[in-house]
Amino acid sequence: MADDVPKPRVRPAVAADLDILCRIEASAALSPWDRSRFEDSLARHRMLVLLANGDPCGFAVFRQVLDEAEVLNIAVAPVHCRKGFGRCLLRAGLDLLAGEVRCLHLEVRAGNEPAMALYRSEGFQRVGLRRSYYPAPGGREDAVLMRLDLP
Ligand SMILES: CC(C)(COP(=O)(O)OP(=O)(O)OC[C@H]1O[C@@H](n2cnc3c(N)ncnc32)[C@H](O)[C@@H]1OP(=O)(O)O)[C@@H](O)C(=O)NCCC(=O)NCCS
């Protein structure tokens, strides 16, 4: 992480974060989650918030089922992208789940090169494809399935 980037802090999300997390999601995602999905995730899953200079700049949501987990969502506000925050959130999730799960799954739009580059660089491998899975402007888009085996 560059020297001029504020050192991020990651903590579990709380209800008071949801307004800003919805705004980050709306600014970052092609098909943004609505507020009810955030409320549901807060109640049922593990949601992390990344703060830089005290301000929420991104979040990640992980769902654990027995000894497997899934990255349900991860986003960084566009003005804060390419500062290492996405990687920081992903690693914080891995730390949280370490010792509890043996693998982490996710699905990502086939055209989402920034996200796939992040996942590949953290060791995720492509394990499948769901054709025409996502709605996309002017048609549908494939989903790439990825998996990371944990020690
Ligand atoms: C995917 C996302 C979370 C990455 O967050 P980020 O904070 O920009 O990522 P980082 O700065 O930690 O980058 C980590 C690595 O990801 C890759 N990467 C990130 N953005 C990239 C881009 N625009 N182009 C190519 N590679 C990119 C690089 O390998 C990068 O490492 P490097 O900077 O050392 O080269 C962010 O782009 C985002 O919020 N996208 C919109 C929401 C989304 O698509 N979420 C994923 C749903 S599956």
Side-chain angles (χ1 to χ4, degrees), residues 28 74-76 81-87 107 112 114-115 117-119:
I74 181 168
V76 171
C81 278
R82 289 318 286 268
K83 296 180 179 175
F85 292 172
R87 191 187 301 287
E107 65 194 28
N112 190 346
L118 166 62
Y119 301 140

